[in-house]
Amino acid sequence: MLPGLVVPPAGLPQVQRGDLCAIALVGNRAPVAIGVAAMSTAEMLTSGLKGRGFCVLHTYQDHLWRSGGKSSPPSIAPLVLDPLDLSEEKESVQADPALQGDMRHLTLEGEEEEDGEVQQMCGEKSLSEASEDLSVGGLNRDPTDSKTLQEQMDELLQQCFLQALKSRVRKADLPLLTSTLLGSHMFSCCPEGRQLDIKKSSFKKLSQFLQQMQQEHIIQVKELSKGVESIVAVDWKHPRITSFVIPEPSPTSQTIQEGSREQPYHPPDIKSLYCVPASMTLLFQESGHKKGSVLEGGEVRTIIINYAKKNDLVDADNKNLVKLDPVLCDCILEKNEQHTVMKLPWDSLLTRCLEKLQPAHQVTFPGQEPIVKKGKICPIDITLAQRASNKKVTMVRNLEAYGLDPCSVAAVLQQRCQASTTVTPAPGAKESLQVQIQGNQIHHVSWLLLEEYQLPRKYIQGLEKAPKPGKKK
C-alpha cells in the first residue's frame, strides 16, 4: 500500500504499471520485498499516495524465504554518486547482484529494528535524494540539458500553452475561463511521462504566465467578474502560434502506452433490458420464458407479435388492431379497463407491455463479460451544494456504475480544477463513494466525462448547473 512510501524532494523513481520493483527500507538498499507496480509514478502522485501501489510477489520472511537459507537482508549503504553519473546510475538501480534486471528502487519508512539492521538514514543521501537535480515535478530531465529545472518547466509551460491554442481551443470556446484552459487543455497537452507544475516555473502562478502572454499580444485576458479571469481573444495569426510545431509522441511513449501502462478508459456498452414479473408469466410462458427472465426490447416485441398471430388475435377487418384475450387483459389492462377495452393498436399494445415489465439493464465493459442488473442504471449525478461558510462545492456520485474509480477521478479533477478534492461515502448508498470538489467545477467534470471519457450525455444529470462564462464560480 502507498501510505508510508517515502517521497524525497527529487520525487519517486519513474515506474510504469507492470514494472518489476525492488522495495527497501530507508537507510538500506537491500530489498525487503519484490513486486510489480500496480500504477505508474504519475498515478501514485495524483492519488495522493493512497491505495495499492504494488502487487507483492516475494517478501522477507515469507514462505519462499522460509524454504531457503532464512538469511537476513544484507546491509547495503545508500549510494553516494558523482552528480555526473547520477542519470546513468538512476536508470540501472540495483539493490544486489542477486537481483539483476529491470527494477526500480523504492523506499519505505521503517522503524529501527532490534538487531540494528534497519536504521533511519542521516548524513548521506539516498539515491533518489542525490538525484534531486535530475527531476522536474516528479519526472526525469535530460542530464545532457544544461538548462535549470525552472527553465525547463518554463519551456514545458509555454509548449503546453501554445499546443493548446493551436490544437484544442477554438474561437467558439471564447470567452474561456483561464482555469478551464489549464485544466481541460494545457494538462492534456503535456508530453507522456512529464508533469506540468506551474509552481516550479519562474511564473509561479497561471495568472502571471498569462499576463506575460498578453504582453506578447498572443491573448487578451479580462476579469469578466470579480476574481474570475477569462481569455476573451486569441491572435491565432501570431508568429509564435503559427510557427509552433506540435511534437509527435516518442516511440518510447507509444510503446509504453501499448504495453505495460494502464489502457485509457473506454465507456461501457449499456443496454436497457426487461424482466418478466409474476403477473405476466402467462403471456411469456408459451415462448419458453418464466418469471425473472431477462429480455431485450426487440425480443419482447417478437414474443408479443407471435403470441397475437398464434392465438388469432389480429383483427380481421383492421390489421392495425389486436383483440385482447383474457391473458392480455390480465397482463396489460388496468382494472377499470377490463370490460371496456377490447382491442388495442399494435404500438399501444407493445408500449403497455414494456411498461408492465420490470426494468433491468446490461453493462458490458471492454474485454469483460456482460453484467446484468435489475432496475434502471443510475446516472452519474452532479450536484452543487453550499456550505455554511457560503462556499460552493461540487458533488459527483454513481461513478462506480460506469467503471470509474472515484479516487482516480478525484485525483484528475484536483489537478484540472486546481482545487481540493475529497472522496467520502455517498449518503444513503451502500459501498458507494462520492467525489467532492471545492467550488463550482461542473464545467471541468462535464469536460472530463463527456469529452475525455466519452460517456453519453443521457447518463449524466446536473450538467445544466455549470457556470456561464463571466459568472463567478
Side-chain angles (χ1 to χ4, degrees):
M1 305 302 287
L2 289 177
L5 191 66
V6 175
V7 182
L12 293 173
Q14 290 298 301
V15 300
Q16 305 296 340
R17 174 176 288 212
D19 281 357
L20 190 62
C21 300
I23 305 170
L25 300 178
V26 171
N28 187 357
R29 291 180 59 230
V32 293
I34 300 296
V36 175
M39 59 178 75
S40 67
T41 302
E43 292 168 331
M44 293 180 192
L45 296 174
T46 54
S47 71
L49 293 183
K50 294 178 181 178
R52 181 183 297 275
F54 309 92
C55 298
V56 176
L57 304 176
H58 169 42
T59 67
Y60 172 51
Q61 293 188 341
D62 65 4
H63 289 292
L64 180 60
W65 175 84
R66 294 179 190 279
S67 67
K70 300 182 180 179
S71 61
S72 299
S75 181
I76 304 176
L79 291 178
V80 179
L81 301 174
D82 186 298
L84 296 177
D85 298 330
L86 280 175
S87 59
E88 181 179 353
E89 189 67 36
K90 188 172 183 181
E91 284 299 315
S92 58
V93 175
Q94 299 172 21
D96 187 85
L99 296 168
Q100 299 289 330
D102 183 19
M103 292 191 184
R104 304 294 186 266
H105 202 76
L106 297 144
T107 309
L108 296 171
E109 287 182 299
E111 300 288 338
E112 180 173 336
E113 296 184 5
E114 292 182 2
D115 59 3
E117 288 179 0
V118 182
Q119 298 179 353
Q120 189 70 21
M121 182 172 59
C122 59
E124 294 181 324
K125 289 186 177 181
S126 68
L127 173 62
S128 297
E129 291 170 327
S131 60
E132 178 179 356
D133 292 338
L134 297 182
S135 176
V136 179
L139 55 117
N140 292 336
R141 62 171 277 196
D142 184 356
T144 61
D145 196 335
S146 60
K147 298 184 181 69
T148 65
L149 305 182
Q150 192 176 78
E151 289 172 339
Q152 290 194 44
M153 188 56 71
D154 284 352
E155 287 188 356
L156 180 60
L157 180 60
Q158 297 194 45
Q159 174 186 325
C160 294
F161 170 76
L162 294 172
Q163 185 172 340
L165 293 184
K166 189 162 188 174
S167 64
R168 298 177 66 91
V169 178
R170 297 290 178 262
K171 188 174 182 179
D173 298 328
L174 304 179
L176 179 69
L177 294 171
T178 56
S179 59
T180 302
L181 172 70
L182 177 65
S184 298
H185 300 294
M186 290 177 62
F187 280 131
S188 301
C189 294
C190 190
E192 186 70 31
R194 302 194 68 181
Q195 184 177 343
L196 183 61
D197 190 342
I198 297 178
K199 293 180 181 178
K200 293 185 179 179
S201 71
S202 62
F203 300 96
K204 305 303 180 186
K205 293 182 179 180
L206 177 63
S207 58
Q208 294 181 10
F209 170 72
L210 295 179
Q211 186 178 7
Q212 174 64 35
M213 296 300 99
Q214 182 169 242
Q215 290 175 358
E216 295 184 25
H217 306 292
I218 300 175
I219 58 173
Q220 184 180 356
V221 180
K222 283 187 178 181
E223 192 175 285
L224 298 182
S225 64
K226 188 176 180 181
V228 181
E229 290 187 335
S230 298
I231 296 175
V232 296
V234 177
D235 181 8
W236 274 285
K237 294 182 179 180
H238 193 283
R240 290 199 61 187
I241 296 179
T242 57
S243 64
F244 178 78
V245 178
I246 298 176
E248 295 183 2
S250 65
T252 304
S253 171
Q254 293 175 344
T255 302
I256 289 174
Q257 288 179 336
E258 295 167 2
S260 61
R261 279 187 62 84
E262 180 183 12
Q263 295 299 311
Y265 172 81
H266 293 288
D269 177 57
I270 302 171
K271 187 180 296 183
S272 295
L273 300 175
Y274 301 90
C275 190
V276 178
S279 61
M280 299 187 73
T281 51
L282 287 176
L283 178 58
F284 287 88
Q285 66 181 6
E286 287 189 14
S287 56
H289 298 288
K290 57 184 180 179
K291 176 187 174 182
S293 294
V294 178
L295 304 167
E296 295 184 21
E299 293 177 302
V300 174
R301 178 184 176 87
T302 301
I303 291 171
I304 299 300
I305 292 174
N306 290 340
Y307 177 87
K309 291 181 178 180
K310 183 178 179 181
N311 291 278
D312 196 25
L313 299 178
V314 182
D315 189 275
D317 298 326
N318 188 348
K319 301 294 184 181
N320 291 326
L321 295 177
V322 179
K323 295 179 290 185
L324 303 183
D325 66 355
V327 173
L328 286 174
C329 286
D330 290 341
C331 289
I332 66 173
L333 292 183
E334 302 295 336
K335 287 185 178 180
N336 59 353
E337 296 177 323
Q338 295 283 341
H339 302 290
T340 58
V341 179
M342 302 301 174
K343 300 177 183 178
L344 282 175
W346 278 110
D347 57 349
S348 179
L349 175 65
L350 294 169
T351 300
R352 285 184 178 228
C353 185
L354 291 174
E355 289 174 348
K356 293 291 183 179
L357 294 171
Q358 295 173 345
H361 65 276
Q362 174 182 289
V363 180
T364 307
F365 294 98
Q368 299 183 24
E369 291 296 318
I371 301 171
V372 177
K373 294 184 178 180
K374 291 184 178 180
K376 294 181 179 180
I377 188 169
C378 294
I380 295 176
D381 184 37
I382 306 172
T383 57
L384 198 61
Q386 195 152 345
R387 298 301 184 217
S389 59
N390 207 32
K391 291 184 177 179
K392 293 180 179 179
V393 292
T394 304
M395 318 289 290
V396 187
R397 299 179 58 180
N398 302 329
L399 292 167
E400 298 95 332
Y402 300 85
L404 292 168
D405 176 28
C407 295
S408 299
V409 172
V412 173
L413 289 172
Q414 182 180 27
Q415 186 185 49
R416 298 288 177 85
C417 306
Q418 295 291 289
S420 62
T421 60
T422 57
V423 178
T424 58
K430 292 182 179 180
E431 300 180 0
S432 181
L433 301 174
Q434 66 179 7
V435 178
Q436 176 177 309
I437 317 108
Q438 185 176 3
N440 186 342
Q441 309 294 351
I442 296 179
H443 180 78
H444 288 293
V445 177
S446 169
W447 180 273
L448 184 67
L449 298 178
L450 296 174
E451 301 298 330
E452 294 199 26
Y453 294 162
Q454 295 293 305
L455 284 166
R457 183 177 288 269
K458 64 180 179 179
Y459 296 122
I460 306 170
Q461 65 181 20
L463 297 177
E464 70 280 356
K465 300 167 189 173
K468 305 298 181 185
K471 277 195 173 184
K472 190 172 181 179
K473 293 165 68 177

